[in-house]
Amino acid sequence: MKTFADVHIGDTLGPVHQFVSKDQCRKYANSAGLPAARFTDDEGARKEGLPGIILPGNMSLGLLSKLVTDWIGYDGGARMIRLSTTYRVPVQPDHTLTFQGFITHTTEAERRAEIDVWIENEEAERLVTGTATVQFDK
Protein backbone atom coordinates (compact mmCIF):
# COMPACT_ATOMS: atom_id res chain seq x y z
CA MET A 1 0.00 0.00 0.00
CA LYS A 2 1.48 3.33 -1.08
CA THR A 3 0.97 6.12 1.44
CA PHE A 4 1.70 9.82 1.29
CA ALA A 5 4.63 9.24 3.67
CA ASP A 6 6.19 6.94 1.02
CA VAL A 7 6.28 9.71 -1.60
CA HIS A 8 9.25 12.05 -2.01
CA ILE A 9 10.14 14.70 -4.57
CA GLY A 10 12.34 13.07 -7.20
CA ASP A 11 10.85 9.59 -6.80
CA THR A 12 10.46 7.99 -10.20
CA LEU A 13 7.69 6.08 -11.97
CA GLY A 14 8.93 3.57 -14.50
CA PRO A 15 10.51 3.34 -16.88
CA VAL A 16 7.94 0.94 -18.31
CA HIS A 17 8.65 -0.32 -21.82
CA GLN A 18 5.72 -1.46 -23.94
CA PHE A 19 5.47 -2.47 -27.57
CA VAL A 20 2.28 -1.10 -29.11
CA SER A 21 1.29 -2.73 -32.41
CA LYS A 22 -0.68 -1.33 -35.31
CA ASP A 23 -3.29 -4.00 -34.64
CA GLN A 24 -3.72 -2.78 -31.04
CA CYS A 25 -4.04 0.77 -32.36
CA ARG A 26 -6.70 -0.27 -34.91
CA LYS A 27 -8.64 -2.24 -32.31
CA TYR A 28 -8.56 0.68 -29.87
CA ALA A 29 -9.63 3.18 -32.55
CA ASN A 30 -12.49 1.00 -33.77
CA SER A 31 -13.75 0.16 -30.28
CA ALA A 32 -13.56 3.83 -29.27
CA GLY A 33 -15.57 4.89 -32.31
CA LEU A 34 -12.57 6.55 -33.97
CA PRO A 35 -12.44 4.90 -37.41
CA ALA A 36 -10.41 7.75 -38.98
CA ALA A 37 -7.78 6.53 -41.44
CA ARG A 38 -4.98 8.13 -39.41
CA PHE A 39 -5.65 5.51 -36.71
CA THR A 40 -6.38 2.49 -38.88
CA ASP A 41 -4.64 2.65 -42.28
CA ASP A 42 -1.08 3.65 -43.20
CA GLU A 43 -1.99 4.85 -46.67
CA GLY A 44 -4.92 6.89 -45.38
CA ALA A 45 -2.71 8.43 -42.70
CA ARG A 46 -0.09 9.37 -45.31
CA LYS A 47 -2.79 11.13 -47.33
CA GLU A 48 -3.25 13.33 -44.24
CA GLY A 49 0.47 14.13 -44.19
CA LEU A 50 1.35 11.73 -41.40
CA PRO A 51 4.18 9.18 -41.56
CA GLY A 52 1.66 6.33 -41.11
CA ILE A 53 -0.85 5.21 -38.51
CA ILE A 54 -0.72 7.14 -35.24
CA LEU A 55 -2.17 6.32 -31.83
CA PRO A 56 -5.36 8.19 -30.91
CA GLY A 57 -4.64 10.79 -28.23
CA ASN A 58 -7.01 9.06 -25.82
CA MET A 59 -5.01 5.84 -26.22
CA SER A 60 -1.80 7.65 -25.26
CA LEU A 61 -3.64 9.26 -22.36
CA GLY A 62 -4.89 5.85 -21.23
CA LEU A 63 -1.40 4.35 -21.37
CA LEU A 64 0.01 7.24 -19.31
CA SER A 65 -2.86 6.84 -16.85
CA LYS A 66 -1.88 3.21 -16.42
CA LEU A 67 1.66 4.25 -15.49
CA VAL A 68 0.29 6.40 -12.66
CA THR A 69 -2.43 4.04 -11.45
CA ASP A 70 -0.03 1.06 -11.43
CA TRP A 71 2.36 3.17 -9.33
CA ILE A 72 -0.46 4.08 -6.93
CA GLY A 73 -1.61 0.49 -6.56
CA TYR A 74 -5.10 -0.86 -6.29
CA ASP A 75 -5.76 -0.90 -2.56
CA GLY A 76 -7.76 2.32 -2.47
CA GLY A 77 -5.28 4.43 -0.46
CA ALA A 78 -4.85 6.99 -3.23
CA ARG A 79 -6.32 7.98 -6.56
CA MET A 80 -5.34 10.00 -9.59
CA ILE A 81 -7.55 13.10 -9.64
CA ARG A 82 -6.13 14.87 -12.70
CA LEU A 83 -3.99 14.13 -15.76
CA SER A 84 -3.21 16.75 -18.37
CA THR A 85 -1.18 16.05 -21.48
CA THR A 86 0.49 17.83 -24.36
CA TYR A 87 0.92 15.93 -27.63
CA ARG A 88 4.25 17.06 -29.03
CA VAL A 89 4.91 14.44 -31.72
CA PRO A 90 2.52 11.85 -33.20
CA VAL A 91 2.89 8.50 -31.43
CA GLN A 92 3.40 5.76 -33.99
CA PRO A 93 2.57 2.10 -33.33
CA ASP A 94 4.90 -0.83 -34.06
CA HIS A 95 7.45 0.74 -31.73
CA THR A 96 8.46 0.12 -28.16
CA LEU A 97 7.35 3.10 -26.12
CA THR A 98 8.77 4.07 -22.75
CA PHE A 99 6.54 5.51 -20.04
CA GLN A 100 8.16 7.44 -17.21
CA GLY A 101 7.53 10.04 -14.56
CA PHE A 102 8.84 11.62 -11.41
CA ILE A 103 7.41 13.41 -8.40
CA THR A 104 7.85 17.16 -8.76
CA HIS A 105 5.87 18.52 -5.81
CA THR A 106 4.06 17.33 -2.72
CA THR A 107 1.57 19.18 -0.53
CA GLU A 108 1.32 17.66 2.92
CA ALA A 109 -1.75 19.69 3.97
CA GLU A 110 -3.70 18.38 0.98
CA ARG A 111 -1.85 15.03 0.84
CA ARG A 112 -1.28 15.48 -2.89
CA ALA A 113 1.60 14.69 -5.20
CA GLU A 114 2.28 16.29 -8.58
CA ILE A 115 3.96 14.03 -11.12
CA ASP A 116 5.53 14.90 -14.46
CA VAL A 117 4.87 12.03 -16.90
CA TRP A 118 5.87 11.37 -20.48
CA ILE A 119 6.06 8.89 -23.34
CA GLU A 120 9.31 8.46 -25.25
CA ASN A 121 10.12 6.59 -28.44
CA GLU A 122 13.24 4.43 -28.96
CA GLU A 123 15.29 7.58 -29.70
CA ALA A 124 14.36 9.05 -26.28
CA GLU A 125 12.26 11.69 -28.01
CA ARG A 126 9.42 12.84 -25.76
CA LEU A 127 6.23 12.35 -27.75
CA VAL A 128 3.65 13.14 -25.07
CA THR A 129 4.26 15.03 -21.82
CA GLY A 130 1.92 15.70 -18.96
CA THR A 131 1.25 16.27 -15.31
CA ALA A 132 -0.73 14.04 -12.98
CA THR A 133 -2.09 14.83 -9.55
CA VAL A 134 -2.52 12.03 -7.02
CA GLN A 135 -4.65 12.45 -3.91
CA PHE A 136 -3.79 10.28 -0.90
CA ASP A 137 -6.27 9.38 1.79
CA LYS A 138 -6.02 11.27 5.07
Side-chain angles (χ1 to χ4, degrees):
M1 176 174 158
K2 187 170 294 300
T3 68
F4 184 75
D6 298 329
V7 177
H8 306 283
I9 293 173
D11 287 353
T12 59
L13 287 69
V16 174
H17 306 284
Q18 182 176 346
F19 181 83
V20 179
S21 71
K22 287 182 181 177
D23 194 44
Q24 289 172 305
C25 183
R26 286 184 192 103
K27 286 180 180 175
Y28 179 90
N30 287 325
S31 67
L34 302 167
R38 73 181 70 142
F39 306 132
T40 59
D41 175 63
D42 277 325
E43 187 174 325
R46 286 186 196 103
K47 287 179 181 175
E48 295 184 35
L50 297 164
I53 291 175
I54 62 171
L55 269 63
N58 284 348
M59 186 175 182
S60 297
L61 183 69
L63 292 167
L64 269 177
S65 294
K66 185 176 182 325
L67 173 74
V68 177
T69 56
D70 285 353
W71 174 78
I72 291 170
Y74 298 96
D75 56 15
R79 63 191 184 286
M80 182 171 62
I81 60 172
R82 184 182 66 83
L83 175 61
S84 64
T85 52
T86 300
Y87 301 91
R88 302 173 78 180
V89 179
V91 180
Q92 294 181 272
D94 278 354
H95 291 274
T96 298
L97 303 173
T98 301
F99 302 86
Q100 299 185 71
F102 69 93
I103 308 300
T104 59
H105 185 74
T106 59
T107 308
E108 188 165 346
E110 297 178 4
R111 302 184 70 78
R112 288 184 178 177
E114 298 290 325
I115 308 166
D116 279 1
V117 293
W118 64 94
I119 300 173
E120 291 179 353
N121 60 15
E122 291 101 337
E123 290 78 38
E125 181 180 24
R126 290 188 182 189
L127 310 172
V128 179
T129 61
T131 304
T133 304
V134 173
Q135 174 76 57
F136 291 85
D137 289 346
K138 294 184 178 182

